[in-house]
């Protein structure tokens, strides 16, 4: 095995480990809180923040700690990584998230299956592992008690939810928050920035990841801004026995949680590179003179 291939495998495995840490902390807090009698929103937010900080510290020196397909794709578009690494990075991120979800299912699976017997998955439990739009924990009046197989009931549900929460609102929220996340990521990791610090960057990114939740987006879309967070748990739950139910409500994983996040992340990185960073270069040149 060549040295180059060995190096690549270590980096890919590091993305697996980093995403595993993030999802274990973040989704672990959501599941534990959701299944308790007194859910704690603050506890969930702090867990996500520490999850991303610790993941970056753990694997950042090896792979860059993308732990998010949006980061990987945006970095490829802006030539921060090679395109050949994009697919492996994303695959290992999803597998890391699926592995973390599998651990949570080992811990909580018996409780969850008592509440939600497979193959159907109730909305609140589904959102505990990945995300839904609208977020059922905050908008239960527009959400079903379960994903009903009855076509007429489902049709009424779709009509009601679409009137209050059309897909474009969720897509805009995810795109905007992912834009801001990538703007923060590239700004604090750019050596040309006067605030660049390898030791403090994980905290800045952790806060940047959590703030959309703390502000408002968690109440709307669950604040995914990370496809691995959704696709990995969905894969694990499918293998666990949930073959239907909460996996593609209104096609939202294409229209809300897929393309908008990728576009927002790319635009966030490009905004730094071509709008904000040129001014830093201008100021540096002026100071040199």
């Amino acid at each position: 095995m060549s040295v180059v291939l060995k190096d690549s495998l270590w980096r890919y495995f590091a993305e697996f480990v980093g995403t595993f840490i993030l999802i274990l902390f973040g989704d672990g807090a959501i599941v534990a809180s959701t299944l308790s009698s007194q859910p704690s929103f603050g506890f969930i937010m702090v867990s996500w923040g520490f999850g991303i900080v610790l993941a970056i510290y753990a694997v950042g020196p090896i792979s860059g700690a993308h732990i998010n397909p949006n980061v990987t794709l945006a970095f490829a578009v802006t030539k921060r990584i090679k395109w050949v690494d994009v697919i492996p990075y994303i695959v290992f991120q999803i597998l890391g998230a699926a592995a973390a979800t599998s651990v949570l299912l080992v811990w909580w699976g018996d409780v969850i299956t008592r509440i939600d017997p497979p193959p159907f998955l109730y909305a609140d439990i589904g959102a505990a592992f990945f995300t839904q739009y609208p977020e059922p924990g905050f908008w239960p009046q527009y959400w079903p008690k379960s994903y009903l197989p009855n076509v007429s009931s489902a049709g009424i549900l779709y009509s009601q939810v679409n009137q209050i929460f059309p897909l474009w609102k969720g897509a805009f929220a995810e795109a905007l928050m992912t834009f801001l996340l990538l703007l923060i990521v590239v700004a604090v990791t750019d050596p040309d920035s006067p605030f660049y610090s390898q030791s403090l960057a994980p905290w800045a990114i952790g806060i940047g990841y959590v703030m959309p939740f703390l502000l408002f987006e968690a109440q709307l879309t669950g604040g995914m801004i990370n496809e691995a967070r959704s696709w990995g748990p969905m894969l694990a739950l499918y293998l666990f026995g949930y073959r239907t139910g909460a996996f593609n409500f209104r096609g939202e994983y294409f229209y809300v949680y897929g393309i908008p996040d990728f576009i927002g992340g790319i635009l966030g990185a490009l905004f730094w590179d071509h709008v904000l960073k040129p001014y830093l270069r201008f100021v540096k040149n002026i100071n040199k003179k």
Side-chain angles (χ1 to χ4, degrees), residues 78-280:
T78 56
K79 300 180 180 180
R80 286 174 167 84
I81 65 168
K82 297 178 180 179
W83 279 101
V84 70
D85 287 327
V86 171
I87 298 298
Y89 262 53
I90 292 176
V91 168
F92 275 80
Q93 289 159 3
I94 293 172
L95 292 177
T101 304
S102 299
V103 171
L104 296 176
L105 288 172
V106 169
W107 291 343
W108 298 103
D110 291 341
V111 176
I112 293 170
T113 53
R114 289 173 184 267
I115 300 173
D116 297 342
F120 291 99
L121 189 64
Y122 288 116
D124 283 338
I125 300 300
F129 279 103
F130 44 96
T131 48
Q132 295 287 330
Y133 170 68
E135 165 57 52
F138 292 94
W139 309 102
Q141 65 270 39
Y142 299 109
W143 205 260
K145 176 62 179 174
S146 64
Y147 284 83
L148 302 175
N150 185 285
V151 176
S152 62
S153 297
I156 294 172
L157 167 67
Y158 295 163
S159 175
Q160 184 182 28
V161 173
N162 283 329
Q163 289 178 23
I164 308 299
F165 299 103
L167 292 175
W168 73 262
K169 288 185 179 180
F172 176 71
E174 283 291 310
L176 177 60
M177 292 300 105
T178 312
F179 173 92
L180 295 176
L181 173 65
L182 262 294
L183 177 60
I184 293 168
V185 169
V186 296
V188 301
T189 58
D190 193 323
D192 290 333
S193 172
F195 298 108
Y196 171 72
S197 171
Q198 286 185 321
S199 60
L200 296 179
W203 292 97
I205 297 171
I207 294 172
Y209 192 92
V210 169
M211 284 308 294
F213 293 88
L214 294 177
L215 292 173
F216 60 87
E217 207 211 349
Q219 291 88 329
L220 189 63
T221 68
M224 185 183 74
I225 58 179
N226 184 341
E227 285 82 2
R229 180 195 166 193
S230 216
W231 299 342
M234 287 168 65
L235 172 62
L237 286 165
Y238 180 84
L239 296 176
F240 191 69
Y242 291 104
R243 296 290 191 266
T244 186
F247 296 104
N248 196 28
F249 183 63
R250 298 190 297 165
E252 61 188 27
Y253 290 103
F254 178 78
Y255 296 110
V256 175
Y257 296 116
I259 292 177
D261 293 289
F262 283 126
I263 293 175
I266 292 170
L267 292 178
L270 291 174
F271 186 78
W272 169 260
D273 284 347
H274 299 287
V275 178
L276 299 182
K277 186 174 178 178
Y279 178 72
L280 288 179

